[in-house]
Structures are given as structure tokens and as C-alpha cells.
Amino acid sequence: MTDQERIQGNWAMISMEIKGVKRPDDAVKQYLLKVDGSKWVVLMGEQKVMNSVFKLDASKEPKTIDLLTLVGKAEVASEGIYKIEGDTLTVCRTDGYKDRPKEFRADQDAGILVVWKRVTN
């Protein structure tokens, strides 16, 4: 099974760190990721907070993910890295046009580190 196949489905956020600041657990529990084909949609409750298309490259080390998000009338690209371990998806990405992170940590430059857990219902 390819990573593109393994990433499909619904994922609940279990942790988020942005530029070195960990978000409270009660805040992150509100987020749900829906992956369908090449669509990457993040919901907070019923509200769409991120509507993107994505591309994976599992041949790189670490594996890479590129997200293209429509913000207003502009497209914003975010380059990142990812890993899928069982039912856990970890993504570390930039918050815009910056260099792709090389490791899974969210310091002042790396941007955003999010861990998702597969929703099985």
C-alpha cells in the first residue's frame, strides 16, 4: 500500500506546536483532518479552517508533503515533511514560503508541527 493510500480518511488532531509554542489540548481536540484523494481539509467543528490540495513524495528522506491552500483569492504554498506510523500521522510544515523543514520540530523557523490520530469510526 502506498502512502497516498494510507493517508486517506479522517484524522483527529492530538497535538499542535506552532513556532515553538504548544497549543492547549482542549483547543487541538476541536480539529479534524479529512483526506480524500488529493484534498486536504481541516475542520474546527463544522467550520473549514484549511482547504488544500497536497502531493506526497515518499522517495525522499524524510518524506515530503507539499500543500497548496487557497487563502482569499491567493494560493499559499507550504512545504513540509511527514511520517505515517501505524494510525499516527505527523506533519511538520512551513506557514508559507519558507524552506522545507529537515526534522520534526517546530522552532521559530520551522513553523508548524501537528500529530494526527486516525479516526476509525
Side-chain angles (χ1 to χ4, degrees), residues 3 5 10 17 30 32 34 46 53 59 62 65 72 77 81 106:
D3 281 359
E5 294 166 329
N10 296 333
E17 191 175 334
Q30 300 176 49
L32 178 70
K34 292 183 173 239
E46 297 296 317
V53 292
S59 70
I65 183 170
I81 56 176

Side-chain angles (χ1 to χ4, degrees), residues 55-81:
K55 186 173 91 175
L56 303 178
D57 188 343
S59 70
K60 301 249 170 69
E61 185 55 46
K63 298 174 180 182
T64 65
I65 183 170
D66 294 325
L67 292 155
L68 191 60
T69 306
L70 190 60
V71 179
K73 294 188 186 284
E75 290 183 338
V76 177
S78 178
E79 296 183 339
I81 56 176

